[in-house]
Amino acid sequence: MSSMTRPSHYTTSAYPPYGGSSSSTSYGGGSVAGGSAASLKPQSSHAKGATSPVQEEEVDALTNLLVQSMDNAADPEFFGMCADCGLKVVGEGSGCTAMDRVFHIACFTCRVCSCRLQGKPFYAVDGEPHCQECYMNSLEKCCVCSEPILDRILRATGKPYHPQCFTCIVCLLCLDGIPFTVDAANRIHCIDDFHKKFAPRCSVCHDPIMPEPGQEETVRVVALDRSFHVQCYKCEDCDLVLSSEAEGRGCYPLDGRVLCKSCNAIRVNALTSTTSTEL
């Protein structure tokens, strides 16, 4: 069985007015505050631990973003560069912040259905925003209740379950973290109910022959094409418990009856005497 954790849930907020020289605006790791700016210096490709071409491109993009931010720092209507289209977000009410990034309101949309998300709950999946409906539709459904699995997924027999829905088909015990087994139709059973339902039954007491509590195995005696508990495998005349491993206590069947050696001899003698008398 395996499990997974779902992405976090977020909400957006409208980008506030620029607060002047005493406030700061974040831009992907750098900031503009009080007229000064943080700088990013790409690492030389010849230096120890050199960055990859992709990393260098990301650093260059951040550097360009910081340069543009510095150029526009004096503009009180400038709030940042849109993380979607890359253009300036200018004017109060024109943008919003989400996932620590700035977006135009028109650019911050669900990546599946393209509906606007500003002011609405959304989910970040691999860094991309999804509206609640599209996110729910993307989730795996529990094979028992058919509802989306929002948190931990429990997988068993190749199917997804809510942990609370993974139960024994007989007693409804939750089997999350508990040993279980399946029948021929792939239905889930706890171990006890599986044995009670499918274990062979003793031909004497008619109870299932199954392991004792805390045990994993049991012994079944088979004789005359019938199954017996060890303690039920007895002579039908004297109740002596029979065993093929004990001297003088083997089974000597007669006419389909389970008998010990002595009782078998008694019955054979009785039959022989009756036959002689009739003759």
Side-chain angles (χ1 to χ4, degrees):
M1 294 181 288
S2 61
S3 62
M4 67 174 287
T5 303
R6 294 298 182 192
S8 300
H9 172 259
Y10 296 87
T11 56
T12 59
S13 61
Y15 204 84
Y18 194 78
S21 61
S22 61
S23 63
S24 64
T25 305
S26 297
Y27 301 108
S31 64
V32 176
S36 62
S39 62
L40 293 176
K41 297 181 179 180
Q43 187 175 16
S44 170
S45 60
H46 300 290
K48 183 177 180 181
T51 59
S52 67
V54 173
Q55 290 174 320
E56 290 181 356
E57 288 180 5
E58 292 177 350
V59 172
D60 289 342
L62 283 174
T63 302
N64 291 333
L65 182 62
L66 285 175
V67 171
Q68 293 181 58
S69 299
M70 292 169 60
D71 291 341
N72 292 279
D75 184 356
E77 295 294 312
F78 174 73
F79 299 117
M81 308 299 291
C82 177
D84 183 63
C85 69
L87 300 179
K88 298 178 182 180
V89 180
V90 179
E92 183 177 352
S94 63
C96 61
T97 58
M99 303 180 295
D100 297 323
R101 288 180 283 174
V102 179
F103 296 85
H104 290 110
I105 289 177
C107 290
F108 187 61
T109 59
C110 172
R111 290 301 180 261
V112 178
C113 69
S114 299
C115 72
R116 291 192 179 186
L117 296 176
Q118 194 274 327
K120 298 179 180 179
F122 72 96
Y123 291 83
V125 181
D126 296 328
E128 297 290 346
H130 291 66
C131 70
Q132 189 166 4
E133 183 177 359
C134 289
Y135 175 71
M136 291 298 177
N137 289 336
S138 72
L139 299 178
E140 287 192 89
K141 307 295 191 298
C142 174
C143 66
V144 175
C145 68
S146 300
E147 293 297 322
I149 303 176
L150 299 177
D151 292 315
R152 186 164 60 94
I153 296 177
L154 189 152
R155 294 188 185 280
T157 67
K159 299 177 182 178
Y161 296 81
H162 290 112
Q164 66 272 20
C165 291
F166 187 64
T167 60
C168 172
I169 194 173
V170 178
C171 67
L172 302 182
L173 173 70
C174 179
L175 298 177
D176 183 15
I178 299 176
F180 69 94
T181 188
V182 297
D183 61 15
N186 221 29
R187 292 174 296 191
I188 308 298
H189 292 72
C190 67
I191 301 300
D192 285 346
D193 282 326
F194 181 83
H195 284 308
K196 290 176 183 177
K197 191 174 180 180
F198 296 104
R201 292 189 174 269
C202 177
S203 63
V204 177
C205 68
H206 306 295
D207 288 335
I209 302 172
M210 55 185 288
E212 295 294 327
Q215 301 295 319
E216 295 183 356
E217 298 180 347
T218 190
V219 177
R220 174 171 64 112
V221 179
V222 179
L224 304 177
D225 293 327
R226 293 150 59 190
S227 297
F228 301 83
H229 288 110
V230 171
Q231 64 274 19
C232 293
Y233 186 51
K234 300 183 293 186
C235 173
E236 294 182 28
D237 286 353
C238 70
D239 287 338
L240 174 70
V241 176
L242 304 177
S243 172
S244 59
E245 298 178 356
E247 184 67 29
R249 290 173 58 184
C251 176
Y252 292 81
L254 181 65
D255 295 332
R257 292 177 177 274
V258 176
L259 302 170
C260 66
K261 184 176 182 180
S262 297
C263 291
N264 175 279
I266 293 172
R267 281 182 173 270
V268 169
N269 288 335
L271 289 172
T272 304
S273 177
T274 301
T275 302
S276 300
T277 302
E278 290 177 352
L279 291 174

